[in-house]
Amino acid sequence: MTGTTEPGLGKLSAPCVHCGLCLPACPTYSVTHDEVESPRGRILLLEAWGEGRVTADDVRPHLDRCIGCLACESMCPSGVPYAALLESGRAALGGPPFFWRVFLRHLLKRRWLVGAAAGLARLVRRVPPKEHRRPAFALRATARAGPSACSELVPTQPRARVGIHLGCVTPALFPRLAGDVALVLAKLGYLVEVPRRQGCCGALARHAGLAQEADLAPFAGCDFVVSAAAGCSATPGLTDVTRLLLDETEFAGARHMPLRVAYDAPCHLVHAQGVDAGPVLDRIPGITRVALPDDEDCCGAGGLYMQREPELARAVRARKLDALLESGAEAVATPNPGCMLWLWQGLRQRGANVRVVHPVTLLAEAWDAG
Protein backbone atom coordinates (compact mmCIF):
# COMPACT_ATOMS: atom_id res chain seq x y z
CA MET A 1 0.00 0.00 0.00
CA THR A 2 1.44 3.36 -1.08
CA GLY A 3 0.10 6.65 0.21
CA THR A 4 -2.74 7.37 2.61
CA THR A 5 -6.16 8.91 2.24
CA GLU A 6 -6.17 9.90 5.93
CA PRO A 7 -6.22 13.72 5.78
CA GLY A 8 -5.81 14.08 9.53
CA LEU A 9 -2.20 12.87 9.48
CA GLY A 10 -0.98 15.85 7.48
CA LYS A 11 -2.79 18.26 9.77
CA LEU A 12 -1.36 16.60 12.88
CA SER A 13 2.20 16.62 11.57
CA ALA A 14 2.03 20.17 10.17
CA PRO A 15 3.44 21.90 13.31
CA CYS A 16 6.65 19.83 13.11
CA VAL A 17 9.58 21.90 11.84
CA HIS A 18 11.98 18.94 11.99
CA CYS A 19 14.24 20.75 14.48
CA GLY A 20 15.40 17.51 16.12
CA LEU A 21 15.02 18.67 19.73
CA CYS A 22 12.95 15.54 20.34
CA LEU A 23 15.80 13.17 19.50
CA PRO A 24 17.65 13.22 22.86
CA ALA A 25 14.34 12.63 24.70
CA CYS A 26 13.43 9.57 22.61
CA PRO A 27 14.35 6.25 24.26
CA THR A 28 14.49 4.25 21.04
CA TYR A 29 16.69 6.82 19.33
CA SER A 30 18.95 6.95 22.39
CA VAL A 31 19.49 3.20 22.10
CA THR A 32 19.71 2.80 18.31
CA HIS A 33 20.99 6.24 17.19
CA ASP A 34 18.90 5.63 14.07
CA GLU A 35 16.95 8.59 12.70
CA VAL A 36 13.98 6.44 11.65
CA GLU A 37 13.62 5.29 15.27
CA SER A 38 13.07 8.87 16.43
CA PRO A 39 9.91 11.02 16.52
CA ARG A 40 11.24 13.23 13.74
CA GLY A 41 12.11 10.22 11.61
CA ARG A 42 8.70 8.65 12.11
CA ILE A 43 6.93 11.88 11.22
CA LEU A 44 9.02 12.20 8.06
CA LEU A 45 8.15 8.61 7.15
CA LEU A 46 4.43 9.27 7.62
CA GLU A 47 4.70 12.40 5.48
CA ALA A 48 6.57 10.47 2.79
CA TRP A 49 3.92 7.75 2.87
CA GLY A 50 1.17 10.35 2.49
CA GLU A 51 2.95 11.66 -0.59
CA GLY A 52 3.35 8.18 -2.07
CA ARG A 53 7.14 8.13 -1.84
CA VAL A 54 7.28 5.06 0.44
CA THR A 55 5.02 2.12 1.14
CA ALA A 56 3.15 1.16 4.28
CA ASP A 57 5.64 -1.68 4.79
CA ASP A 58 8.41 0.91 4.90
CA VAL A 59 6.66 2.84 7.66
CA ARG A 60 4.93 0.24 9.84
CA PRO A 61 8.00 -1.36 11.52
CA HIS A 62 9.25 2.01 12.74
CA LEU A 63 5.88 3.04 14.15
CA ASP A 64 5.70 -0.36 15.83
CA ARG A 65 9.07 0.29 17.48
CA CYS A 66 7.84 3.51 19.06
CA ILE A 67 7.16 2.96 22.77
CA GLY A 68 4.70 5.85 22.86
CA CYS A 69 6.29 7.38 25.95
CA LEU A 70 5.48 10.94 24.77
CA ALA A 71 8.72 12.40 26.08
CA CYS A 72 8.97 14.07 22.69
CA GLU A 73 5.70 15.92 23.34
CA SER A 74 7.10 17.34 26.56
CA MET A 75 10.24 18.45 24.71
CA CYS A 76 8.65 19.78 21.51
CA PRO A 77 8.65 23.60 21.21
CA SER A 78 6.15 23.48 18.34
CA GLY A 79 3.43 21.56 20.17
CA VAL A 80 3.29 18.60 17.80
CA PRO A 81 0.46 16.28 19.05
CA TYR A 82 2.63 13.19 18.71
CA ALA A 83 0.30 10.88 20.66
CA ALA A 84 -2.60 11.60 18.30
CA LEU A 85 -0.27 11.36 15.30
CA LEU A 86 1.08 7.98 16.41
CA GLU A 87 -2.35 6.48 17.08
CA SER A 88 -3.80 7.89 13.85
CA GLY A 89 -0.79 6.68 11.89
CA ARG A 90 -1.10 3.17 13.28
CA ALA A 91 -4.83 3.16 12.51
CA ALA A 92 -4.21 4.36 8.93
CA LEU A 93 -1.67 1.56 8.51
CA GLY A 94 -4.31 -1.00 9.44
CA GLY A 95 -3.74 -1.39 13.16
CA PRO A 96 -1.98 -4.30 14.88
CA PRO A 97 -1.50 -7.82 13.48
CA PHE A 98 -4.38 -10.30 13.74
CA PHE A 99 -3.29 -11.95 17.02
CA TRP A 100 -2.90 -8.67 18.86
CA ARG A 101 -6.16 -7.39 17.40
CA VAL A 102 -8.02 -10.41 18.80
CA PHE A 103 -6.18 -10.07 22.11
CA LEU A 104 -7.05 -6.40 22.50
CA ARG A 105 -10.62 -6.64 21.21
CA HIS A 106 -11.71 -9.84 22.93
CA LEU A 107 -9.29 -11.69 25.19
CA LEU A 108 -8.17 -8.74 27.31
CA LYS A 109 -11.74 -8.01 28.39
CA ARG A 110 -12.15 -11.48 29.94
CA ARG A 111 -10.68 -11.09 33.40
CA TRP A 112 -10.87 -14.79 34.19
CA LEU A 113 -8.67 -15.51 31.17
CA VAL A 114 -6.19 -12.76 32.09
CA GLY A 115 -6.15 -14.11 35.65
CA ALA A 116 -5.48 -17.65 34.45
CA ALA A 117 -2.63 -16.45 32.22
CA ALA A 118 -1.15 -14.49 35.12
CA GLY A 119 -1.41 -17.56 37.33
CA LEU A 120 0.55 -19.64 34.85
CA ALA A 121 3.13 -16.86 34.46
CA ARG A 122 3.44 -16.71 38.25
CA LEU A 123 4.25 -20.41 38.37
CA VAL A 124 7.27 -19.88 36.12
CA ARG A 125 8.16 -16.64 37.93
CA ARG A 126 7.41 -14.31 35.05
CA VAL A 127 5.22 -12.10 37.25
CA PRO A 128 5.69 -11.16 40.91
CA PRO A 129 4.46 -13.56 43.60
CA LYS A 130 1.32 -12.59 45.46
CA GLU A 131 1.94 -10.54 48.57
CA HIS A 132 0.20 -12.34 51.40
CA ARG A 133 0.45 -9.50 53.90
CA ARG A 134 -2.79 -7.77 53.04
CA PRO A 135 -4.92 -5.59 55.33
CA ALA A 136 -8.13 -7.41 56.24
CA PHE A 137 -10.11 -4.27 55.40
CA ALA A 138 -8.58 -4.11 51.94
CA LEU A 139 -9.52 -7.72 51.27
CA ARG A 140 -13.14 -6.96 52.04
CA ALA A 141 -13.05 -3.78 50.01
CA THR A 142 -12.05 -5.56 46.83
CA ALA A 143 -14.56 -8.33 47.34
CA ARG A 144 -17.61 -6.09 47.49
CA ALA A 145 -19.22 -3.41 45.38
CA GLY A 146 -21.05 -0.16 45.88
CA PRO A 147 -20.82 2.30 48.78
CA SER A 148 -20.61 -0.62 51.25
CA ALA A 149 -17.17 -1.46 49.87
CA CYS A 150 -15.68 0.72 52.62
CA SER A 151 -18.44 0.41 55.20
CA GLU A 152 -15.96 0.28 58.12
CA LEU A 153 -14.47 3.65 57.21
CA VAL A 154 -17.40 5.53 55.71
CA PRO A 155 -16.95 9.18 56.70
CA THR A 156 -19.93 11.02 58.19
CA GLN A 157 -19.28 13.87 55.78
CA PRO A 158 -17.43 12.39 52.79
CA ARG A 159 -15.19 14.70 50.81
CA ALA A 160 -16.35 13.18 47.55
CA ARG A 161 -17.69 9.97 46.06
CA VAL A 162 -14.89 8.09 44.30
CA GLY A 163 -15.11 5.02 42.09
CA ILE A 164 -12.10 2.75 41.59
CA HIS A 165 -11.44 1.62 38.03
CA LEU A 166 -9.73 -1.75 38.39
CA GLY A 167 -8.33 -2.15 34.89
CA CYS A 168 -8.02 -5.31 32.82
CA VAL A 169 -4.59 -6.59 33.85
CA THR A 170 -3.82 -4.98 37.21
CA PRO A 171 -6.06 -7.21 39.37
CA ALA A 172 -4.32 -10.28 37.96
CA LEU A 173 -0.77 -8.99 38.26
CA PHE A 174 -1.09 -7.07 41.53
CA PRO A 175 -4.24 -8.32 43.32
CA ARG A 176 -3.47 -6.34 46.46
CA LEU A 177 -3.35 -2.94 44.78
CA ALA A 178 -7.09 -2.23 44.45
CA GLY A 179 -7.57 -2.92 48.15
CA ASP A 180 -4.72 -0.58 49.02
CA VAL A 181 -6.32 2.17 46.93
CA ALA A 182 -9.69 1.62 48.64
CA LEU A 183 -8.09 1.74 52.08
CA VAL A 184 -6.06 4.88 51.42
CA LEU A 185 -8.98 6.80 49.90
CA ALA A 186 -11.32 5.80 52.72
CA LYS A 187 -8.73 6.89 55.28
CA LEU A 188 -8.60 10.27 53.57
CA GLY A 189 -12.35 10.72 53.93
CA TYR A 190 -13.63 9.66 50.52
CA LEU A 191 -16.71 7.50 49.99
CA VAL A 192 -15.34 4.65 47.88
CA GLU A 193 -17.16 2.51 45.34
CA VAL A 194 -15.83 -0.49 43.41
CA PRO A 195 -18.43 -1.46 40.80
CA ARG A 196 -18.29 -5.14 39.94
CA ARG A 197 -19.24 -4.80 36.28
CA GLN A 198 -16.80 -2.35 34.82
CA GLY A 199 -15.18 -2.41 31.42
CA CYS A 200 -11.83 -1.68 29.85
CA CYS A 201 -10.54 1.89 29.55
CA GLY A 202 -9.42 1.07 25.99
CA ALA A 203 -5.94 2.57 26.35
CA LEU A 204 -3.98 -0.41 25.02
CA ALA A 205 -6.28 -0.72 22.01
CA ARG A 206 -6.08 3.00 21.21
CA HIS A 207 -2.29 3.01 21.45
CA ALA A 208 -2.25 0.18 18.90
CA GLY A 209 -4.44 2.11 16.48
CA LEU A 210 -7.83 0.57 17.32
CA ALA A 211 -10.78 2.80 18.15
CA GLN A 212 -12.10 2.03 21.63
CA GLU A 213 -13.69 4.32 24.19
CA ALA A 214 -13.76 3.83 27.94
CA ASP A 215 -16.99 2.44 29.38
CA LEU A 216 -17.59 4.54 32.48
CA ALA A 217 -21.34 3.95 32.76
CA PRO A 218 -20.97 1.82 35.95
CA PHE A 219 -19.48 4.88 37.69
CA ALA A 220 -22.52 7.12 37.25
CA GLY A 221 -22.84 9.42 40.24
CA CYS A 222 -19.15 9.36 41.18
CA ASP A 223 -17.33 12.65 41.55
CA PHE A 224 -14.08 11.00 40.49
CA VAL A 225 -13.17 7.73 38.81
CA VAL A 226 -9.64 6.91 39.84
CA SER A 227 -7.10 4.44 38.51
CA ALA A 228 -3.85 3.23 40.03
CA ALA A 229 -2.44 2.62 36.54
CA ALA A 230 -0.92 5.67 34.86
CA GLY A 231 -1.48 4.13 31.44
CA CYS A 232 -5.20 3.92 32.17
CA SER A 233 -5.61 7.19 34.07
CA ALA A 234 -4.48 9.16 31.01
CA THR A 235 -7.85 8.19 29.50
CA PRO A 236 -10.41 11.04 29.45
CA GLY A 237 -12.82 10.59 32.34
CA LEU A 238 -10.30 8.89 34.63
CA THR A 239 -8.13 10.47 37.32
CA ASP A 240 -4.86 9.08 38.56
CA VAL A 241 -5.12 8.21 42.25
CA THR A 242 -1.86 10.02 42.95
CA ARG A 243 -3.54 13.32 42.01
CA LEU A 244 -5.77 12.97 45.08
CA LEU A 245 -2.80 12.06 47.28
CA LEU A 246 -0.87 15.11 46.09
CA ASP A 247 -3.66 17.29 47.49
CA GLU A 248 -2.69 16.16 51.01
CA THR A 249 -0.04 18.04 53.00
CA GLU A 250 0.40 15.09 55.39
CA PHE A 251 -0.95 11.63 56.08
CA ALA A 252 -2.09 11.85 59.69
CA GLY A 253 -1.69 8.66 61.70
CA ALA A 254 0.73 6.99 59.28
CA ARG A 255 3.42 5.08 61.13
CA HIS A 256 7.14 5.60 60.65
CA MET A 257 8.52 3.46 57.81
CA PRO A 258 12.32 3.64 57.55
CA LEU A 259 12.94 2.86 53.89
CA ARG A 260 15.14 4.26 51.13
CA VAL A 261 12.91 4.60 48.08
CA ALA A 262 13.65 5.76 44.52
CA TYR A 263 10.76 7.20 42.56
CA ASP A 264 10.46 6.33 38.87
CA ALA A 265 8.02 8.44 36.87
CA PRO A 266 5.70 6.52 34.51
CA CYS A 267 5.67 8.13 31.08
CA HIS A 268 1.89 8.37 30.85
CA LEU A 269 1.78 10.15 34.20
CA VAL A 270 4.57 12.67 33.76
CA HIS A 271 4.28 13.31 30.00
CA ALA A 272 0.65 12.54 29.13
CA GLN A 273 -0.79 14.06 32.33
CA GLY A 274 1.93 16.37 33.60
CA VAL A 275 1.88 14.84 37.09
CA ASP A 276 4.90 14.29 39.35
CA ALA A 277 3.81 11.84 42.07
CA GLY A 278 7.21 11.77 43.77
CA PRO A 279 6.16 14.18 46.56
CA VAL A 280 3.67 11.56 47.79
CA LEU A 281 6.64 9.56 49.06
CA ASP A 282 8.05 12.61 50.84
CA ARG A 283 4.91 12.81 52.99
CA ILE A 284 5.07 9.21 54.26
CA PRO A 285 6.88 9.29 57.62
CA GLY A 286 10.28 7.62 57.62
CA ILE A 287 10.70 7.27 53.87
CA THR A 288 13.86 8.77 52.42
CA ARG A 289 13.51 9.51 48.74
CA VAL A 290 16.70 8.51 46.94
CA ALA A 291 17.68 10.55 43.91
CA LEU A 292 17.31 8.59 40.69
CA PRO A 293 19.09 10.17 37.71
CA ASP A 294 16.80 10.69 34.74
CA ASP A 295 13.81 9.39 36.68
CA GLU A 296 11.52 10.67 33.90
CA ASP A 297 13.23 8.50 31.28
CA CYS A 298 11.19 5.61 29.92
CA CYS A 299 11.73 2.13 31.40
CA GLY A 300 10.77 0.43 28.12
CA ALA A 301 7.55 -1.26 29.30
CA GLY A 302 5.09 0.63 27.10
CA GLY A 303 2.05 -1.53 27.81
CA LEU A 304 2.30 -4.37 25.29
CA TYR A 305 5.56 -3.01 23.91
CA MET A 306 7.65 -5.22 26.20
CA GLN A 307 5.95 -8.24 24.60
CA ARG A 308 5.89 -7.04 21.01
CA GLU A 309 9.39 -5.52 20.89
CA PRO A 310 11.25 -7.31 23.71
CA GLU A 311 14.80 -6.74 22.46
CA LEU A 312 14.45 -2.98 22.17
CA ALA A 313 12.43 -2.82 25.40
CA ARG A 314 15.21 -4.61 27.29
CA ALA A 315 17.83 -2.26 25.85
CA VAL A 316 15.85 0.76 27.05
CA ARG A 317 15.30 -0.83 30.46
CA ALA A 318 18.99 -1.64 30.97
CA ARG A 319 19.96 1.96 31.60
CA LYS A 320 17.11 2.37 34.08
CA LEU A 321 18.23 -0.72 35.99
CA ASP A 322 21.81 0.54 36.09
CA ALA A 323 20.64 3.81 37.62
CA LEU A 324 18.44 2.04 40.16
CA LEU A 325 21.20 -0.25 41.35
CA GLU A 326 23.67 2.61 41.59
CA SER A 327 21.21 4.68 43.67
CA GLY A 328 21.37 2.37 46.67
CA ALA A 329 17.57 2.35 47.00
CA GLU A 330 15.91 -0.49 48.91
CA ALA A 331 12.73 -0.06 46.88
CA VAL A 332 11.57 1.64 43.71
CA ALA A 333 8.09 3.13 43.66
CA THR A 334 6.31 3.70 40.38
CA PRO A 335 2.55 4.27 40.00
CA ASN A 336 1.96 2.08 36.95
CA PRO A 337 1.57 -1.71 37.07
CA GLY A 338 3.12 -2.25 33.62
CA CYS A 339 6.28 -0.43 34.70
CA MET A 340 6.23 -2.32 38.00
CA LEU A 341 6.16 -5.67 36.21
CA TRP A 342 8.89 -4.73 33.73
CA LEU A 343 11.23 -3.38 36.41
CA TRP A 344 10.56 -6.38 38.66
CA GLN A 345 11.50 -8.78 35.88
CA GLY A 346 14.70 -6.88 35.11
CA LEU A 347 15.79 -6.59 38.75
CA ARG A 348 15.08 -10.27 39.33
CA GLN A 349 17.18 -11.24 36.31
CA ARG A 350 20.05 -9.25 37.79
CA GLY A 351 19.61 -10.89 41.18
CA ALA A 352 18.92 -7.54 42.86
CA ASN A 353 17.09 -7.41 46.17
CA VAL A 354 15.14 -4.24 45.40
CA ARG A 355 11.41 -4.15 46.03
CA VAL A 356 9.16 -2.77 43.28
CA VAL A 357 6.02 -1.18 44.70
CA HIS A 358 3.23 1.28 44.02
CA PRO A 359 3.32 4.46 46.16
CA VAL A 360 -0.25 3.74 47.29
CA THR A 361 0.83 0.39 48.72
CA LEU A 362 3.58 2.07 50.75
CA LEU A 363 1.03 4.48 52.18
CA ALA A 364 -1.41 1.66 52.96
CA GLU A 365 1.36 -0.16 54.82
CA ALA A 366 2.24 3.01 56.72
CA TRP A 367 -1.34 3.19 57.94
CA ASP A 368 -1.00 -0.47 58.90
CA ALA A 369 -4.63 -1.43 58.79
CA GLY A 370 -3.73 -5.06 59.49
Coordinates of all heavy atoms in Angstrom, one line a residue, residues 161-201:
R161 N -17.4 11.4 46.4 CA -17.7 10.0 46.1 C -16.8 9.5 45.0 O -16.7 10.1 43.9 CB -19.1 9.9 45.6 CG -19.7 8.5 45.4 CD -21.1 8.6 45.0 NE -21.7 7.3 44.8 CZ -23.0 7.1 44.4 NH1 -23.8 8.2 44.3 NH2 -23.5 5.9 44.2
V162 N -16.0 8.5 45.2 CA -14.9 8.1 44.3 C -15.1 6.6 43.9 O -15.3 5.7 44.7 CB -13.5 8.2 45.0 CG1 -12.4 7.8 44.0 CG2 -13.3 9.7 45.3
G163 N -15.1 6.4 42.6 CA -15.1 5.0 42.1 C -13.7 4.6 41.7 O -12.9 5.4 41.2
I164 N -13.4 3.3 41.9 CA -12.1 2.8 41.6 C -12.2 1.9 40.3 O -13.0 0.9 40.3 CB -11.5 1.9 42.7 CG1 -11.3 2.7 44.0 CG2 -10.2 1.2 42.3 CD1 -10.8 1.9 45.2
H165 N -11.5 2.4 39.3 CA -11.4 1.6 38.0 C -10.3 0.6 38.2 O -9.2 0.9 38.3 CB -11.2 2.6 36.9 CG -11.3 1.9 35.5 ND1 -10.2 1.2 34.9 CD2 -12.3 1.9 34.6 CE1 -10.6 0.8 33.8 NE2 -11.8 1.1 33.6
L166 N -10.7 -0.7 38.1 CA -9.7 -1.8 38.4 C -8.7 -2.0 37.3 O -7.6 -2.4 37.5 CB -10.5 -3.0 38.7 CG -11.4 -3.0 39.9 CD1 -12.2 -4.3 40.0 CD2 -10.6 -2.8 41.2
G167 N -9.2 -1.8 36.0 CA -8.3 -2.2 34.9 C -8.5 -3.6 34.5 O -9.0 -4.4 35.2
C168 N -7.9 -3.9 33.3 CA -8.0 -5.3 32.8 C -7.0 -6.2 33.4 O -7.2 -7.4 33.7 CB -7.9 -5.3 31.3 SG -9.2 -4.3 30.5
V169 N -5.7 -5.7 33.5 CA -4.6 -6.6 33.8 C -4.2 -6.4 35.3 O -3.7 -7.4 35.9 CB -3.4 -6.3 32.9 CG1 -2.2 -7.1 33.3 CG2 -3.8 -6.5 31.5
T170 N -4.3 -5.3 35.9 CA -3.8 -5.0 37.2 C -4.3 -5.9 38.3 O -3.5 -6.4 39.1 CB -4.2 -3.5 37.6 OG1 -3.6 -2.6 36.7 CG2 -3.6 -3.2 39.0
P171 N -5.6 -6.3 38.3 CA -6.1 -7.2 39.4 C -5.4 -8.6 39.3 O -5.2 -9.2 40.3 CB -7.6 -7.3 39.1 CG -7.9 -6.1 38.4 CD -6.7 -5.8 37.5
A172 N -5.0 -9.0 38.1 CA -4.3 -10.3 38.0 C -2.9 -10.2 38.3 O -2.3 -11.1 39.0 CB -4.5 -10.8 36.5
L173 N -2.2 -9.1 38.0 CA -0.8 -9.0 38.3 C -0.5 -8.6 39.7 O 0.4 -9.1 40.3 CB -0.1 -8.0 37.3 CG -0.1 -8.3 35.8 CD1 0.5 -7.2 35.0 CD2 0.6 -9.7 35.6
F174 N -1.3 -7.6 40.2 CA -1.1 -7.1 41.5 C -2.4 -7.1 42.3 O -3.1 -6.0 42.4 CB -0.5 -5.7 41.4 CG 0.8 -5.6 40.7 CD1 0.9 -5.3 39.4 CD2 2.0 -6.0 41.4 CE1 2.1 -5.2 38.7 CE2 3.2 -6.0 40.7 CZ 3.3 -5.6 39.4
P175 N -2.9 -8.2 42.7 CA -4.2 -8.3 43.3 C -4.4 -7.5 44.6 O -5.6 -7.2 45.0 CB -4.4 -9.8 43.6 CG -3.0 -10.4 43.6 CD -2.2 -9.5 42.6
R176 N -3.4 -7.1 45.2 CA -3.5 -6.3 46.5 C -3.8 -4.9 46.2 O -4.3 -4.2 47.0 CB -2.2 -6.5 47.2 CG -2.0 -5.5 48.4 CD -0.7 -5.7 49.1 NE -0.6 -4.7 50.2 CZ 0.4 -4.6 51.0 NH1 1.4 -5.5 50.9 NH2 0.5 -3.7 52.0
L177 N -3.4 -4.4 45.0 CA -3.4 -2.9 44.8 C -4.7 -2.3 44.9 O -4.8 -1.2 45.5 CB -2.8 -2.7 43.4 CG -2.5 -1.2 43.0 CD1 -1.7 -0.5 44.1 CD2 -1.8 -1.1 41.6
A178 N -5.8 -2.9 44.4 CA -7.1 -2.2 44.4 C -7.5 -2.0 45.9 O -8.1 -1.0 46.3 CB -8.1 -3.1 43.7
G179 N -7.2 -3.0 46.7 CA -7.6 -2.9 48.1 C -6.8 -1.8 48.8 O -7.3 -1.1 49.7
D180 N -5.5 -1.7 48.4 CA -4.7 -0.6 49.0 C -5.3 0.8 48.6 O -5.3 1.7 49.4 CB -3.3 -0.7 48.5 CG -2.5 -1.9 49.2 OD1 -3.0 -2.4 50.2 OD2 -1.5 -2.3 48.6
V181 N -5.7 0.9 47.4 CA -6.3 2.2 46.9 C -7.6 2.5 47.7 O -7.8 3.6 48.2 CB -6.6 2.1 45.4 CG1 -7.4 3.4 45.0 CG2 -5.3 2.0 44.6
A182 N -8.4 1.4 47.9 CA -9.7 1.6 48.6 C -9.4 2.1 50.1 O -10.0 3.0 50.6 CB -10.5 0.3 48.6
L183 N -8.4 1.4 50.7 CA -8.1 1.7 52.1 C -7.6 3.2 52.2 O -8.0 4.0 53.1 CB -7.0 0.8 52.6 CG -6.3 1.1 53.9 CD1 -7.3 1.1 55.0 CD2 -5.2 0.2 54.2
V184 N -6.7 3.6 51.3 CA -6.1 4.9 51.4 C -7.1 6.0 51.2 O -7.2 7.0 51.9 CB -4.9 5.0 50.4 CG1 -4.5 6.4 50.2 CG2 -3.7 4.2 50.9
L185 N -8.0 5.8 50.2 CA -9.0 6.8 49.9 C -10.0 6.9 51.0 O -10.4 8.0 51.4 CB -9.7 6.5 48.6 CG -8.8 6.6 47.3 CD1 -9.6 6.3 46.1 CD2 -8.2 8.0 47.2
A186 N -10.4 5.8 51.6 CA -11.3 5.8 52.7 C -10.7 6.5 53.9 O -11.4 7.3 54.6 CB -11.7 4.4 53.1
K187 N -9.4 6.2 54.2 CA -8.7 6.9 55.3 C -8.7 8.4 55.1 O -8.7 9.2 56.1 CB -7.3 6.4 55.4 CG -7.1 5.0 56.0 CD -7.1 5.1 57.5 CE -6.7 3.8 58.2 NZ -6.6 3.9 59.6
L188 N -8.7 8.8 53.9 CA -8.6 10.3 53.6 C -10.0 10.9 53.5 O -10.1 12.1 53.3 CB -7.9 10.5 52.2 CG -6.4 10.2 52.2 CD1 -5.8 10.3 50.8 CD2 -5.6 11.1 53.2
G189 N -11.0 10.1 53.8 CA -12.4 10.7 53.9 C -13.2 10.6 52.7 O -14.2 11.3 52.6
Y190 N -12.8 9.8 51.7 CA -13.6 9.7 50.5 C -14.6 8.5 50.7 O -14.3 7.5 51.3 CB -12.7 9.4 49.3 CG -11.9 10.6 48.9 CD1 -10.5 10.7 49.3 CD2 -12.4 11.6 48.2 CE1 -9.8 11.7 48.9 CE2 -11.7 12.7 47.8 CZ -10.3 12.8 48.2 OH -9.5 13.9 47.8
L191 N -15.8 8.6 50.1 CA -16.7 7.5 50.0 C -16.3 6.7 48.8 O -16.3 7.2 47.6 CB -18.1 8.0 49.9 CG -19.2 7.0 49.8 CD1 -19.3 6.1 51.0 CD2 -20.6 7.6 49.5
V192 N -15.9 5.4 48.9 CA -15.3 4.7 47.9 C -16.3 3.6 47.3 O -17.0 2.9 48.1 CB -14.1 3.9 48.4 CG1 -13.4 3.1 47.3 CG2 -13.1 5.0 48.9
E193 N -16.4 3.5 46.0 CA -17.2 2.5 45.3 C -16.3 1.7 44.4 O -15.4 2.3 43.8 CB -18.3 3.1 44.5 CG -19.3 3.9 45.4 CD -20.5 4.3 44.6 OE1 -20.7 3.8 43.5 OE2 -21.4 5.1 45.2
V194 N -16.5 0.4 44.3 CA -15.8 -0.5 43.4 C -16.9 -1.3 42.6 O -17.2 -2.4 43.0 CB -14.9 -1.4 44.2 CG1 -14.0 -2.2 43.2 CG2 -14.0 -0.7 45.2
P195 N -17.4 -0.7 41.6 CA -18.4 -1.5 40.8 C -17.9 -2.8 40.3 O -16.8 -2.9 39.8 CB -18.8 -0.5 39.6 CG -18.3 0.8 40.1 CD -17.2 0.6 41.0
R196 N -18.7 -3.8 40.4 CA -18.3 -5.1 39.9 C -18.2 -5.2 38.4 O -17.2 -5.7 37.9 CB -19.3 -6.2 40.4 CG -19.2 -6.5 41.9 CD -20.1 -7.7 42.2 NE -20.1 -8.0 43.6 CZ -19.2 -8.7 44.2 NH1 -18.2 -9.2 43.5 NH2 -19.3 -9.0 45.5
R197 N -19.2 -4.7 37.7 CA -19.2 -4.8 36.3 C -18.7 -3.5 35.7 O -19.4 -2.5 35.5 CB -20.7 -5.1 35.8 CG -21.2 -6.4 36.3 CD -22.6 -6.7 35.7 NE -23.1 -8.0 36.1 CZ -24.2 -8.5 35.8 NH1 -25.0 -7.8 35.0 NH2 -24.6 -9.7 36.2
Q198 N -17.4 -3.5 35.4 CA -16.8 -2.3 34.8 C -15.9 -2.8 33.7 O -15.4 -3.9 33.7 CB -16.0 -1.6 35.8 CG -15.0 -2.4 36.7 CD -14.2 -1.5 37.6 OE1 -13.3 -0.8 37.2 NE2 -14.6 -1.5 38.9
G199 N -15.9 -2.0 32.6 CA -15.2 -2.4 31.4 C -13.8 -1.9 31.3 O -13.2 -1.3 32.3
C200 N -13.2 -2.1 30.1 CA -11.8 -1.7 29.9 C -11.8 -0.2 29.5 O -12.7 0.4 29.0 CB -11.3 -2.5 28.7 SG -9.7 -2.0 28.1
C201 N -10.7 0.5 29.9 CA -10.5 1.9 29.5 C -10.2 2.1 28.1 O -10.3 3.2 27.5 CB -9.5 2.5 30.4 SG -7.8 2.1 30.0

